[in-house]
Amino acid sequence: MEPWKFVRGFERFSLCDWPGNTCCVIFLGGCNLHCPTCHNAEMAWHYESLPALKKDALLDFIRQRKKWLDGVTVTGGEPTTVPGLNVILSDLAEIGLKIKLDSNGMRPEVLEQILDLNVVTTFAVDIKGPYEKFPQLTGNAVTAEEAQANIEKIFALASAQPDKFYFRTTKVPLLTDDDIETVRTYLPHGFSLTEQKFVEPRRTSHAEANS
């Protein structure tokens, strides 16, 4: 399947998706987790029901507004589940803007491949919570052991290139303050945790899909 067919949402301008940067946001459909607190469920699990955006029109739109943007955020769903994600990122990189890639960290091998391409400026990785709570937090999509193994591989990548990564945790209702502190203890030396406010799940609306 052509990778760009997974692009099912677009936000023209954002001041909050990439701290310190103005950006547009591209949403890719599909996800390997089933988090009960997901705020964009249609994009994650039913992206086929959303209209696909045309590659050429989207790239032209970004080029025309390049001077007002610091970069492009690529999010989801979960971008690392998209076959040919590297094609999308390489096409965007040709425009000359910085790129931030959001990920849940459960496919470290894909992040390593993307890292080797040297087209992504920043990887924003979500740590859902303490490893033992990952089954509850992800709809039993991963075990605690799988989560720990994957996240620790991400930490190894981040330790090697610390300027490329930052880590986030969303304070969903299942998490306590102690849980957040536990996540902080996981981080490699020199990294801090960005705590995000919980947004109630949206079950009848989705990201803007027509620019």
Side-chain angles (χ1 to χ4, degrees):
M1 189 176 188
E2 211 283 325
W4 280 92
K5 292 185 178 179
F6 285 85
V7 178
R8 300 298 172 113
F10 181 64
E11 187 175 336
R12 301 175 183 85
F13 188 80
S14 172
L15 295 172
C16 61
D17 282 273
W18 191 346
N21 293 274
T22 59
C23 67
C24 60
V25 185
I26 292 175
F27 295 84
L28 304 182
C31 190
N32 52 349
L33 304 182
H34 207 85
C35 306
T37 53
C38 180
H39 71 279
N40 209 356
E42 286 177 281
M43 188 67 65
W45 310 317
H46 308 292
Y47 73 92
E48 300 92 343
S49 66
L50 307 177
L53 278 67
K54 294 182 179 179
K55 170 186 172 181
D56 292 342
L58 182 57
L59 292 176
D60 285 345
F61 184 93
I62 297 172
R63 288 190 192 99
Q64 292 167 12
R65 288 152 181 80
K66 177 180 174 180
K67 64 181 179 181
W68 292 292
L69 299 170
D70 295 321
V72 180
T73 289
V74 178
T75 189
E78 171 53 35
T80 63
T81 65
V82 173
L85 172 62
N86 60 305
V87 173
I88 296 174
L89 297 173
S90 295
D91 288 342
L92 291 170
E94 290 180 1
I95 297 176
L97 289 169
K98 298 186 297 183
I99 299 172
K100 176 173 75 75
L101 181 67
D102 292 343
S103 177
N104 59 32
M106 291 298 101
R107 300 196 70 192
E109 70 283 358
V110 175
L111 291 191
E112 185 173 15
Q113 292 167 6
I114 298 300
L115 193 61
D116 290 341
L117 288 176
N118 199 33
V119 293
V120 171
T121 306
T122 301
F123 295 86
V125 179
D126 293 305
I127 312 298
K128 297 295 182 180
Y131 299 133
E132 66 269 16
K133 286 193 173 182
F134 260 76
Q136 293 171 275
L137 292 165
T138 66
N140 291 309
V142 293
T143 65
E145 292 76 18
E146 290 168 336
Q148 182 172 356
N150 289 329
I151 294 299
E152 288 183 350
K153 289 176 183 177
I154 299 291
F155 288 156
L157 296 175
S159 295
Q161 298 196 51
D163 59 320
K164 291 274 191 177
F165 288 82
Y166 74 95
F167 298 99
R168 314 179 297 194
T169 297
T170 300
K171 183 71 179 299
V172 300
L174 182 63
L175 296 180
T176 66
D177 290 339
D178 286 344
D179 289 334
I180 298 295
E181 292 308 310
T182 295
V183 174
R184 291 188 201 281
T185 68
Y186 295 161
L187 301 182
H189 177 73
F191 284 89
S192 59
L193 183 68
T194 299
E195 185 177 340
Q196 299 186 135
K197 292 183 179 180
F198 173 63
V199 177
E200 287 291 335
R202 296 183 290 178
R203 294 292 185 257
T204 58
S205 62
H206 53 76
E208 182 179 325
N210 188 340
S211 64

